[in-house]
Amino acid sequence: MKIGYDLDGVICKEPNYISKAFKFSVNLGIKLRQIQDRLYIPKIPGFIITGRPKCDSRLTIRWLMEKGISYEELFMPNVFINSMQATIFKSAIINNLDCDYYIESDMYISLVLDKLCPNCNVINVKNKLATYFLWG
């Protein structure tokens, strides 16, 4: 069984200013990393597919390690992208990996991914089935 997880809003709490904050310096990223709390630790390790840009990968990987979150692989876009671009990025990865399940925090993205990824069960984190994959 292949499972994909969104990062912000699924594995870590999602501050409402995070997308703007990633456009700033690495120092700000360090401050964000320090204030982000763990939301869920996946019971079943899978693929983390996030819209965070690769320039933040070192900080993101360090945060995941500090929180004890294991995963198979981390997928991040090469550049800053908006929500629709993130949805298309995520759908391409989900389809290429042939994921059976993908856990997403954003309802709109969940609905679009459900259409773009017909062979994957896209589950919004608010759905009770998500608790099967996540420890809350």
Side-chain angles (χ1 to χ4, degrees):
M1 175 169 32
K2 293 182 184 176
I3 304 168
Y5 299 95
D6 182 24
L7 182 59
D8 298 303
V10 174
I11 294 175
C12 69
K13 290 183 181 175
E14 187 171 19
N16 59 5
Y17 54 84
I18 200 163
S19 61
K20 291 179 185 175
F22 280 127
K23 296 178 183 172
F24 295 112
S25 70
V26 171
N27 290 333
L28 181 57
I30 292 169
K31 290 176 185 173
L32 278 175
R33 182 181 55 78
Q34 292 170 347
I35 64 167
Q36 288 176 341
D37 288 329
R38 184 178 68 217
L39 186 57
Y40 295 109
I41 295 181
K43 287 196 277 188
I44 303 167
F47 302 96
I48 297 176
I49 306 167
T50 180
R52 288 185 184 190
K54 273 195 181 162
C55 64
D56 291 320
S57 64
R58 198 171 76 211
L59 295 172
T60 301
I61 291 166
R62 187 180 326 146
W63 184 87
L64 290 165
M65 286 174 51
E66 287 173 359
K67 301 298 180 184
I69 298 169
S70 61
Y71 56 94
E72 293 184 41
E73 195 169 348
L74 173 64
F75 293 92
M76 304 172 87
N78 292 324
V79 296
F80 295 105
I81 57 177
N82 63 34
S83 181
M84 182 50 71
Q85 292 167 324
T87 306
I88 293 166
F89 170 80
K90 290 176 181 183
S91 70
I93 302 296
I94 291 166
N95 287 325
N96 286 340
L97 292 172
D98 197 25
C99 287
D100 298 299
Y101 296 93
Y102 183 72
I103 314 297
E104 171 63 48
S105 63
D106 183 282
M107 184 58 79
Y108 173 76
I109 292 175
S110 297
L111 293 171
V112 176
L113 287 175
D114 192 52
K115 300 290 184 204
L116 296 176
C117 306
N119 297 323
C120 179
N121 294 298
V122 178
I123 302 167
N124 188 274
V125 75
K126 293 169 182 67
N127 185 312
K128 291 180 182 179
L129 183 58
T131 59
Y132 173 78
F133 300 105
L134 301 169
W135 172 82

